[in-house]
Each structure stands twice: as structure tokens, then as C-alpha cells.
Amino acid sequence: MTRQLIPAFAIILFLTSCSSMRPVNSKQPVIAGKGNSANTDKVQFLNDISTESTPPVLKYAAPKTQTSSKASLKEDHGSVTHAAAAVEKASATQLKYAILLDTEVESLDGDLLLDHVDEWYGTRYKLGGNSKAGIDCSAFVQAVYVSAFALTLPRTAREQYKASRIISSTELKEGDLVFFNTRGGVSHVGIYLQNNKFIHASTSQGVTVSDMYDPYYMRRFIGAGRIEKPEASNKIF
């Protein structure tokens, strides 16, 4: 009898132990807002993660070189029109000296001195000469000053230097004189025009335009001088 009750008692004990273990092994759903604080924080953290990424905003700035206002276009057009008009109205002498002086034609507009120096352009050099058959540097300067400014200068380069008011080379204006030492002392003179160019009677080329920055003349440059001119001629300078 007792042996028959032992298996039945074992079954009852096993069922009782399984029932007490069920809540521990069972999985219960976690509901947001309920349960312990650890589960709640974990759910909240997951809710804050966004699965959609926002693309960066690209800002396009047009290149400055490609943008131009109507005002600037009109200004450029006006400059081109003015330059074209100046070239159209320019005399043959102005066009010639714009090339020789490497400058714009409009900068020579109304330039009266060029007409006087151009009368002698290309005349051959002759020491002591004072005519179209041949002329030296100081005689050329003397002839131009008489015709352009009605001023009579001394005959030699040295005397013209003494008669001038010595100025800095940075003060040079059209019509000023530039002096050089080519044979000892003040021995050569020319008339400054513009853009570092001067016209003179060269021993090798006759009356021509040369550059102040030519190495030959830079080494021999002595100084610059200004002869005071009549008020009527100041507009040229």
C-alpha cells in the first residue's frame, strides 16, 4: 500500500514545484510607463533615436567674377565708347606718339607740344647744327621752346641746366628738361613727354623718343630741370 502511494506523492510534489517556478521563468511584455524605472528609461532612450537623417544644407555663393551689375556694365561700356571716340578723333600725330610713348590716345588729347616736337622728328644729328639739315640736342630743345612757348633758352646743355629750376625726377611733367652726362659734365639734354619717355637729338638716331629707364640713360642721368612757362601754356603741363 505504501509503495503504491510513493509514486502518487512524487507526482504531486513535482506539479507543486513547477507551479511555484512559473512566474520566475515566464516572460511578460514591458509596457512604456509601467514597470520599474530602468525599463522606462531604456524605452525612452530608444524613442529619442531618429532613423531619418537630415541632409546638410548646401549654400551656393556665385563667383564674384561672374556677377556684374547693370551700373558696372554701363560704366565699362562708357569707357570703351569714350576710348573709341578718342581714337576716332585723334590726329595722326597723336596716334603716332601714343605708340611711341606706349600710352592711351586719350591721354594725348589736346596735346599741343607734340605738334612742335614732331616737326623735328627724324632729323639727323649734327654737332653744332640748328636746322632741318642737322641739329644737336641743345639746339633742338632751343627750337622747340621758341615755337611752343615763345621762350628763348641758352644755347648749350650746360647753360640750359643752369637756367632751369632743378626738380626731382618724381616731379617730372611734360615739357620739363632732362640732363645727361654723355661726354663729361652736363653734355646732353632732352624734353620729357610722359610715361618715362623723352624726345631728344640722339647722336646715333637723330631726333627720336627714348626711355628714361634705358640702361644707357639711367647710368648717365644727372637731373631734371623746369623752365617757368607763360600762363597761357600751363594747360599743356
Side-chain angles (χ1 to χ4, degrees):
M1 182 66 179
T2 302
R3 290 180 178 179
Q4 293 178 351
L5 292 175
I6 289 174
F9 179 77
I11 292 172
I12 293 171
L13 181 62
F14 174 77
L15 292 176
T16 302
S17 62
C18 287
S19 177
S20 62
M21 292 173 62
R22 188 174 299 140
V24 177
N25 293 333
S26 64
K27 295 183 180 179
Q28 303 216 3
V30 179
I31 301 174
K34 295 183 180 181
N36 56 41
S37 60
N39 289 339
T40 303
D41 293 339
K42 192 176 293 183
V43 173
Q44 185 63 35
F45 173 76
L46 293 174
N47 288 342
D48 288 342
I49 294 178
S50 174
T51 57
E52 297 180 0
S53 60
T54 304
V57 179
L58 300 178
K59 295 183 179 180
Y60 174 75
K64 293 183 179 180
T65 56
Q66 296 181 356
T67 59
S68 58
S69 62
K70 292 183 178 179
S72 62
L73 289 175
K74 288 182 179 179
E75 183 178 350
D76 293 341
H77 179 70
S79 300
V80 173
T81 302
H82 176 71
V87 172
E88 186 177 351
K89 294 179 181 179
S91 65
T93 301
Q94 290 172 332
L95 292 173
K96 173 182 175 179
Y97 281 87
I99 296 173
L100 290 173
L101 303 179
D102 191 22
T103 189
E104 295 81 9
V105 173
E106 53 266 34
S107 70
L108 304 176
D109 186 29
D111 196 320
L112 302 179
L113 181 60
L114 294 181
D115 292 329
H116 296 280
V117 299
D118 192 56
E119 291 180 15
W120 296 91
Y121 191 86
T123 301
R124 73 181 185 90
Y125 179 86
K126 181 181 180 181
L127 182 61
N130 59 2
S131 69
K132 296 293 179 66
I135 196 168
D136 62 20
C137 62
S138 55
F140 166 69
V141 170
Q142 193 178 48
V144 170
Y145 263 68
V146 167
S147 63
F149 311 118
L151 290 175
T152 302
L153 299 185
R155 177 63 179 86
T156 67
R158 189 186 303 273
E159 292 170 337
Q160 291 172 3
Y161 181 78
K162 291 180 180 179
S164 303
R165 177 169 64 85
I166 304 305
I167 60 174
S168 168
S169 59
T170 59
E171 300 177 72
L172 277 168
K173 295 182 180 180
E174 185 179 274
D176 288 336
L177 303 181
V178 286
F179 300 93
F180 305 87
N181 178 1
T182 56
R183 295 191 304 270
V186 183
S187 52
H188 189 65
V189 62
I191 301 174
Y192 183 80
L193 296 177
Q194 61 172 278
N195 199 26
N196 301 315
K197 305 293 194 300
F198 67 102
I199 189 166
H200 62 131
S202 165
T203 56
S204 60
Q205 296 178 284
V207 177
T208 187
V209 172
S210 298
D211 197 309
M212 296 282 293
Y213 287 101
D214 183 299
Y216 177 85
Y217 293 108
M218 283 187 68
R219 290 193 301 268
R220 292 164 174 79
F221 180 71
I222 291 177
R226 179 170 297 163
I227 302 291
E228 297 303 328
K229 303 165 185 68
E231 291 294 327
S233 300
N234 284 347
K235 63 180 181 180
I236 300 177
F237 305 88

